[in-house]
Amino acid sequence: MEVGEKVRAWVARMVELCGPDEVVWCDGSADERDRLTRRAVRTGVLLPLSEELYPGCHLHRSHPSDVARTEKSTFVCTSDREDAGPNNNWIAPDEARATLEGICTGVMRGRTMYVVPFLMGEPGSPLAKVGVELTDSVYVALSMGTMTRMGAVALAELGPDGVFTRCVHATAALDPELRYICHFPETNEIWSVNSGYGGNALLGKKCLALRLGSWMGRREGWLAEHMLIVGIEDPEGRTTWIAGAFPSACGKTNLAMLVPPPELRQAGWKVWTVGDDFAWLRPGPDGRLWASNPEAGFFGVVPGTSCRTNPNAIATISHDTIFTNVALRPDGTPWWEGHDDPPVEGTVDWRGAPWAPGSGTPAAHPNSRFTAAASQCPSMSARWQDPRGVPIDAILFGARRADTVPLVCEARDWRHGTLMGAMLTSETTAAATGALGVVRHDPMAMLPFAGYHLGDYWSHWLDVGARLTQPPRVYAVNWFRTGADGRFLWPGFGDNLRVLAWIADRCRGEGDAVHTPIGRLPAKDALNVAGASISADTLGHLLTVDADSWRAALNEQADYLRGYGPRVPEALWEELNAMRRALSRSPE
């Protein structure tokens, strides 16, 4: 590999600071992957699974205190605190760097430093970004080889004088009290110490793809979003490209790999995956919004994944996959809650302790994960590696809400859609530390990931929309409404295609809709629910707008927006007040 002087000089400085016994430059080759895997097995970092039943698969266990993103330990370090915004924790850059360098002094003595050049995006893409991660974790090095285009391809894209993101990761003592995940957008740096968990340690993911990516996007005129990208092909062979923002562990991967229900599959509907987690969106010369997936793999939540809920994911993870914090059965195969197979005696839980069915504790951690190459997914689109991306026809904002938010609602235009995204509230999941099931604001599903002030972020959304002559339609969706008994009213999973089919119709100027104070909803009989296990009354409830609930929601949203001060764009206030006026005319 040819390594430019900028990279070599920076690595040399970090080697001097961290003091590793060995330095390994990763080239991304298959031979290197085999070699690192053998090292990880030899040192107990990975446990081989049954080669017969799960060929090439391994289990990794993280420390029990290190099993999810730690938002309280995540910081954006800008010169001006206001630029980070109230949505981010902040430390002054000089203070943060002094703390981090103090922790990292000699932190890799007795360890190996892996130098991981990586590329986010396809070679030649107008949005491709190069990073170099220094890590003392062979698990991270292997995972980055799956999640990104790693090694020689990244250095070739960088060239001798290119710009790259400097990423330092040290597992250190895994001390939660000294855990820092720090982003320096003004100097294009990321430092992560005292964590080995994926979202905190795989620095190409949320750290670069979203936190620094959103900062870069504002500067360069594009959007870095927490979105899946999927293509919906109708029986006539027309594909509607959709990007969808959903908070973590709210079904993004299931939707990205959706398999049509039998009735629609037999009619000729198909679904094509481009990405399940990130979308980098740029205005194209044709006036449309084009989206690329900057990743090369999946880091998906595995509990609940089965042949019923996500058969494409099951096929994807059947070989050459790293499972993190799942249970281990006596036959050397992984298990998790929601698996197709029932639990069995002799299973070892995610901590490595004996576990028995009926024990009252989960066998797999609720945020346990799989790491697998995107190329292993049967539904990957032929265009998923197109450097240009795909043209987006519709954007979804998805919530996990038991009430208020209808099954699907179409925004009037881009401005109204921006408010829809800004109003996204969802129940918390195990993807981040903290209480579960608490309804919190998560604008555009980006609250933990926007690398700058959300008021400026919403302004940037409006600016990007103003540059589009053919902007995508925007929708709010909610698969998680419940009835009085607490059960979900909508069947979900493959049946979500019934909603996406209506959205595809709307994008082509078809599909009947009715106007409501909050936006357009499907007209009666506009959704094809033939064969679905849902009654007309239940569907009617899912598509009802409760005026009182929405008045309260808008009042609460106004309070939330006021927390971001004068940087909130006036256009959002105008849209919110227009909804208030429409609701005031609505019957009680």
Side-chain angles (χ1 to χ4, degrees):
M1 295 191 304
E2 292 190 22
V3 182
E5 183 54 36
K6 286 184 181 178
V7 174
R8 285 195 182 279
W10 173 69
V11 171
R13 289 197 301 274
M14 292 301 103
V15 168
E16 183 177 2
L17 175 70
C18 299
D21 287 10
E22 179 187 17
V23 178
V24 173
W25 289 74
C26 295
D27 62 19
S29 67
D31 286 346
E32 174 185 76
R33 184 168 189 84
D34 291 343
R35 187 167 61 253
L36 294 182
T37 300
R38 289 194 299 271
R39 176 181 288 197
V41 170
R42 187 173 64 252
T43 56
V45 173
L46 295 181
L47 299 176
L49 299 181
S50 167
E51 189 61 27
E52 178 184 359
L53 300 174
Y54 275 81
C57 292
H58 296 81
L59 169 62
H60 172 70
R61 294 185 180 123
S62 65
H63 191 275
S65 72
D66 190 29
V67 293
R69 286 182 289 103
T70 49
E71 293 176 14
K72 68 176 184 179
S73 304
T74 302
F75 300 88
V76 171
C77 306
T78 51
S79 302
D80 184 342
R81 184 171 191 162
E82 274 298 300
D83 289 341
N87 46 297
N88 284 304
N89 301 318
W90 178 85
I91 306 177
D94 289 347
E95 178 187 346
R97 194 170 284 106
T99 298
L100 292 163
E101 289 183 356
I103 294 171
C104 287
T105 298
V107 74
M108 295 186 188
R109 288 196 188 102
R111 303 184 184 185
T112 298
M113 174 188 281
Y114 300 92
V115 182
V116 182
F118 65 93
L119 175 65
M120 303 297 289
E122 281 295 317
S125 166
L127 298 184
K129 303 295 180 186
V130 175
V132 179
E133 178 166 357
L134 311 181
T135 178
D136 57 0
S137 168
V138 67
Y139 162 77
V140 168
L142 284 165
S143 297
M144 289 292 286
T146 298
M147 298 305 304
T148 71
R149 296 152 183 89
M150 185 181 83
V153 63
L155 292 176
E157 184 76 13
L158 179 63
D161 300 310
V163 174
F164 67 98
T165 303
R166 293 160 170 80
C167 306
V168 179
H169 167 250
T171 54
L174 294 176
D175 183 349
E177 300 304 314
L178 291 174
R179 186 167 293 156
Y180 293 92
I181 301 94
C182 293
H183 308 73
F184 300 82
E186 292 155 332
T187 52
N188 201 13
E189 298 173 76
I190 305 164
W191 291 62
S192 173
V193 297
N194 278 302
S195 176
Y197 168 74
N200 302 329
L202 308 180
L203 302 185
K205 280 197 68 66
K206 311 297 192 194
C207 296
L208 175 51
L210 293 182
R211 295 192 190 99
L212 288 194
S214 61
W215 183 283
M216 296 173 185
R218 180 177 58 154
R219 185 181 63 217
E220 299 169 6
W222 51 278
L223 296 165
E225 298 298 324
H226 188 211
M227 291 182 175
L228 62 86
I229 310 170
V230 69
I232 309 301
E233 183 179 334
D234 69 15
E236 287 72 45
R238 301 171 296 186
T239 299
T240 301
W241 298 101
I242 295 174
F246 294 77
S248 297
C250 285
K252 266 204 333 296
T253 299
N254 286 346
L255 187 60
M257 299 182 185
L258 186 147
V259 172
E263 300 80 14
L264 297 187
R265 186 164 63 248
Q266 291 163 11
W269 288 88
K270 300 175 183 176
V271 178
W272 302 109
T273 308
V274 176
D276 80 320
D277 205 13
F278 306 138
W280 285 359
L281 302 137
R282 62 180 178 88
D286 58 357
R288 295 188 292 177
L289 195 63
W290 288 72
S292 301
N293 169 20
E295 292 193 293
F298 302 115
F299 183 66
V301 177
V302 72
T305 302
S306 67
C307 289
R308 181 182 72 85
T309 63
N310 196 336
N312 280 325
I314 291 295
T316 299
I317 64 180
S318 64
H319 63 95
D320 299 298
T321 295
I322 296 176
F323 294 91
T324 301
N325 294 337
V326 298
L328 181 63
R329 293 186 287 194
D331 63 355
T333 60
W335 191 85
W336 51 85
E337 279 69 22
H339 197 285
D340 291 294
D341 300 333
V344 298
E345 296 288 345
T347 295
V348 175
D349 75 8
W350 66 274
R351 294 180 176 90
W355 179 87
S359 66
T361 60
H365 189 275
N367 192 41
S368 52
R369 297 277 175 158
F370 63 82
T371 307
S375 58
Q376 296 176 192
C377 178
S379 61
M380 292 308 291
S381 166
R383 296 185 63 176
W384 84 273
Q385 297 185 92
D386 188 331
R388 300 170 300 169
V390 295
I392 297 299
D393 300 295
I395 288 175
L396 313 182
F397 291 116
R400 176 182 284 269
R401 288 296 307 273
D403 53 28
T404 306
V405 181
L407 177 64
V408 58
C409 178
E410 180 185 85
R412 293 185 301 275
D413 52 29
W414 182 268
R415 276 195 5 162
H416 182 209
T418 300
L419 177 64
M420 270 189 176
M423 287 184 63
L424 186 64
T425 56
S426 194
E427 296 162 16
T428 54
T429 70
T433 54
L436 303 183
V438 177
V439 175
R440 77 164 184 176
H441 288 269
D442 194 353
M444 280 78 169
M446 282 286 284
L447 180 67
F449 310 123
Y452 60 101
H453 196 295
L454 275 176
D456 297 337
Y457 168 81
W458 295 320
S459 292
H460 182 50
W461 259 79
L462 295 169
D463 290 344
V464 169
R467 294 165 55 197
L468 303 173
T469 57
Q470 301 180 68
R473 292 179 181 243
V474 181
Y475 298 83
V477 298
N478 178 22
W479 321 129
F480 300 100
R481 285 285 290 267
T482 59
D485 59 0
R487 295 176 180 269
F488 293 126
L489 297 175
W490 179 249
F493 305 113
D495 285 300
N496 293 339
L497 180 58
R498 302 175 188 278
V499 173
L500 302 185
W502 177 76
I503 289 172
D505 285 344
R506 295 291 297 166
C507 291
R508 292 192 297 271
E510 305 166 7
D512 291 336
V514 294
H515 293 268
T516 77
I518 67 167
R520 304 181 189 100
L521 273 62
K524 182 178 173 58
D525 300 327
L527 289 181
N528 178 2
V529 293
S533 56
I534 186 167
S535 69
D537 286 346
T538 299
L539 184 60
H541 181 70
L542 285 166
L543 295 174
T544 296
V545 176
D546 183 87
D548 286 340
S549 295
W550 274 94
R551 290 185 193 109
L554 288 178
N555 289 337
E556 200 275 336
Q557 178 65 24
D559 289 341
Y560 181 73
L561 289 181
R562 277 191 283 271
Y564 290 94
R567 296 198 187 201
V568 175
E570 186 60 30
L572 289 195
W573 287 113
E574 292 171 359
E575 291 294 332
L576 188 146
N577 289 328
M579 289 179 68
R580 278 176 159 168
R581 289 192 296 273
L583 282 163
S584 70
R585 297 189 293 269
S586 180
E588 295 293 332

